[in-house]
Amino acid sequence: MTCLQPVWYEELQVRHTEIGPDGLLSVKSFFDYMQLAAGKHADHLGVGIFLLHEKNMLWVLSRIRLRILRSPGLGETV
């Protein structure tokens, strides 16, 4: 039996294409990271996009709040 995780943790390393002119991770990339993690978590829970597509269903994120305490720089892990 697989243990389903109610909270998903994903570690990602900041790449060149994800930083802004200030050398820090862009807000858009923060949201991209969260969307990537949400997709992997949905797959883990059995409600991923491909599984739902077969049933003509989808899930939608209706709202999000993001508080950035410190923006990481190139090569750092989020």
Side-chain angles (χ1 to χ4, degrees):
M1 178 178 236
T2 302
C3 178
L4 297 180
Q5 294 175 295
V7 176
W8 191 259
Y9 294 95
E10 190 79 28
E11 285 191 13
L12 300 163
Q13 189 173 23
V14 178
R15 300 175 296 185
H16 287 91
T17 57
E18 299 163 336
I19 59 173
D22 58 0
L24 301 175
L25 185 66
S26 69
V27 173
K28 178 197 176 302
S29 293
F30 266 116
F31 281 104
D32 289 346
Y33 284 1
M34 287 188 288
Q35 186 170 350
L36 176 68
K40 288 184 178 183
H41 192 199
D43 287 340
H44 173 74
L45 295 174
V47 292
I49 191 78
F50 295 114
L51 295 169
L52 292 181
H53 184 266
E54 294 172 359
K55 299 177 183 180
N56 292 320
M57 299 172 75
L58 58 92
W59 56 267
V60 176
L61 179 64
S62 63
R63 70 180 89 157
I64 191 168
R65 183 188 313 185
L66 175 65
R67 182 184 301 177
I68 301 171
L69 301 177
R70 184 185 73 80
S71 292
L74 181 64
E76 288 189 72
T77 299
V78 176

